[in-house]
Amino acid sequence: VSLMKSQPSDINYYTASYTAPSNIAFIKYWGKKDRQIPLNASLSMTLNACHSFVSLKALPAKDEIKKIFDFQFENLPNTKFETRFENYLQSIQDILPWLSDYQFEIRTHNTFPHSTGIASSASAFAALAMGLADLDAKITGTEFSFNKASKLARLGSGSACRSLYPGMVIWGENIKMKASNEFALPVPIIHPLFENLCDSVLIVDNEEKSVKSSVGHSLMHGHLFKEVRLFQAQENFNHLFDAIIQGDLEYFGEIIELEALTLHALMMTSTPSYMLMRPNTILLIEKIKDYRQTSKLPVYFTLDAGPNIHLIYPAQYTEVIKSWIDAELLAYCQKGMVIHDSMGSGAKRAEH
Ligand code: DP6
């Protein structure tokens, strides 16, 4: 934040600009209740390459109704994103009461390669929430609170609350670590084997995804497998947490693949049902399993709520894995698209 004038009585406006990365979940958040409270604890890795930038300028409100008076995404007006941000700002006024006195100019853009089908809501809401928490501290004269920023991010998009922090991040009450359903926290110590994981995203289909995650989460209500899924999520969380601390890469791989396939199995068996894997998703999964068996390399896959494959492996194998991707996998990716990403360091203040 740059406080334009230091005397509160003279303050005309405040600004805050942040960038935040995307994240990939290893234990999936799938199903929520109340106000963005997850049904199970999740665990993710913060990424590095794919970022959103959000810059806020808060001015004293003239028009009480609209919170955003000027919005640009990638230097152009964008009604879809503006409406989502506007609704979000309206929905969090109980948490940031000063919001009713301000209106915003918002500029936002992504560093994502164009048309990859990669969702940007986690990175966008993480960056927006960091900006709001920063303004909150300045306007109310309090300390910046990461917990508050993460909570604000969660209210925009659940998985966004994890994107603030570096490395491995958890969100949700669990027996392994003192944690909360309200905000995320970084895993304090991880085994060196997990300190520099890579994520090469194989773009199988770059179309917009056919199920919105909010719709996906609601499918868990009344799902025949709900209780057994919640039990499994808890077990997987505990085992993955231990594997990350102890350095058990093989067990880690087994669990993240099970989580990815479970997420898709839940969608395939809900009413209505969704099939988000494409034929090439399955083909690539088979190739990954074969290659792992023959090469003995620790390379595993996970999936989001979409057809693209996230290939997870330690950085020391980058060269050999990249050559394998180029030689064997690119042919099954849309227009040969792959994004090489890796563990990142979370949200950062940016130049306005
Ligand atoms: C499959 O965070 O996008 O990526 O809270 O409705 O915005 P909303 O959902 P969102 O759901 C993410 C689901 C997931 C798994 C995960 O990231 O944990």
Side-chain angles (χ1 to χ4, degrees):
V1 160
S2 42
L3 191 56
M4 298 313 290
K5 294 186 181 172
S6 55
Q7 294 302 312
S9 56
D10 289 342
I11 288 168
N12 286 325
Y13 64 86
Y14 297 91
T15 60
S17 302
Y18 279 83
T19 65
S22 182
N23 71 79
I24 177 70
F26 294 140
I27 301 296
K28 307 294 182 183
Y29 147 55
W30 200 240
K32 57 181 161 181
K33 58 186 176 188
D34 305 331
R35 207 174 166 188
Q36 297 281 96
I37 295 298
L39 293 185
N40 63 274
S42 58
L43 192 155
S44 62
M45 172 168 97
T46 296
L47 296 173
N48 192 33
C50 299
H51 272 81
S52 292
F53 168 90
V54 174
S55 126
L56 301 172
K57 184 170 176 182
L59 290 97
K62 287 202 186 85
D63 163 6
E64 299 279 304
I65 312 296
K66 242 178 149 280
K67 288 284 102 208
I68 303 172
F69 67 91
D70 185 1
F71 182 91
Q72 283 184 14
F73 172 69
E74 301 190 338
N75 298 319
L76 292 169
N78 184 310
T79 320
K80 188 178 142 202
F81 289 165
E82 179 176 341
T83 307
R84 189 154 180 206
F85 276 38
E86 176 76 32
N87 291 341
Y88 168 71
L89 291 173
Q90 297 285 0
S91 77
I92 55 165
Q93 296 213 39
D94 58 329
I95 297 164
L96 305 176
W98 53 265
L99 275 180
S100 55
D101 301 330
Y102 287 88
Q103 277 181 306
F104 293 91
E105 179 192 279
I106 301 181
R107 299 279 177 271
T108 172
H109 64 259
N110 294 332
T111 62
F112 296 23
H114 283 286
S115 337
T116 48
I118 291 187
S120 57
S121 63
S123 52
F125 277 104
L128 174 60
M130 286 294 287
L132 289 170
D134 198 334
L135 293 180
D136 182 56
K138 291 292 188 280
I139 291 171
T140 63
T142 51
E143 284 273 296
F144 176 89
S145 160
F146 263 97
N147 287 354
K148 194 164 193 176
S150 178
K151 178 177 170 172
L152 288 168
R154 181 196 104 232
L155 293 169
S157 177
S159 55
C161 73
R162 300 183 308 233
S163 269
L164 270 53
Y165 295 106
M168 300 276 199
V169 184
I170 60 161
W171 167 38
E173 287 165 12
N174 66 85
I175 60 162
K176 290 287 170 186
M177 213 178 112
K178 204 169 170 325
S180 168
N181 285 335
E182 301 269 336
F183 50 82
L185 288 171
V187 179
I189 310 160
I190 59 176
H191 192 278
L193 268 178
F194 292 95
E195 266 170 5
N196 53 2
L197 285 184
C198 294
D199 176 5
S200 292
V201 194
L202 309 172
I203 309 298
V204 171
D205 193 336
N206 62 358
E207 291 292 307
E208 286 262 315
K209 49 185 181 176
S210 59
V211 57
K212 281 170 89 181
S213 47
S214 51
V215 175
H217 290 288
S218 70
L219 297 173
M220 281 304 284
H221 296 294
H223 198 296
L224 192 60
F225 303 147
K226 179 178 171 184
E227 293 311 317
V228 77
R229 161 58 189 160
L230 295 182
F231 174 77
Q232 181 211 34
Q234 203 174 4
E235 293 283 293
N236 284 349
F237 181 96
N238 293 341
H239 293 147
L240 193 85
F241 193 90
D242 290 344
I244 286 172
I245 286 169
Q246 288 157 13
D248 192 340
L249 209 46
E250 205 176 320
Y251 197 25
F252 163 88
E254 196 180 300
I255 298 168
I256 71 165
E257 293 191 350
L258 177 60
E259 276 289 306
L261 296 175
T262 300
L263 172 72
H264 283 256
L266 286 166
M267 284 187 275
M268 283 190 246
T269 51
S270 53
T271 313
S273 65
Y274 292 94
M275 166 64 84
L276 299 184
M277 286 193 260
R278 307 306 312 140
N280 280 352
T281 312
I282 296 169
L283 215 140
L284 284 163
I285 288 176
E286 282 168 351
K287 285 194 166 286
I288 294 161
K289 287 185 168 182
D290 285 348
Y291 179 73
R292 185 163 67 225
Q293 191 136 44
T294 48
S295 70
K296 307 283 178 229
L297 293 180
V299 52
Y300 305 97
F301 68 86
T302 185
L303 307 161
D304 249 335
N308 301 331
I309 301 229
H310 290 251
L311 210 53
I312 310 293
Y313 52 92
Q316 68 200 88
Y317 304 109
T318 303
E319 212 173 311
V320 51
I321 300 280
K322 275 189 177 173
S323 325
W324 165 59
I325 292 174
D326 289 347
E328 304 281 336
L329 307 185
L330 277 194
Y332 304 95
C333 299
Q334 186 140 23
K335 300 186 193 124
M337 269 198 288
V338 57
I339 301 166
H340 295 292
D341 209 338
S342 57
M343 194 179 265
S345 55
K348 295 271 171 333
R349 189 178 293 206
E351 287 297 312
H352 189 64

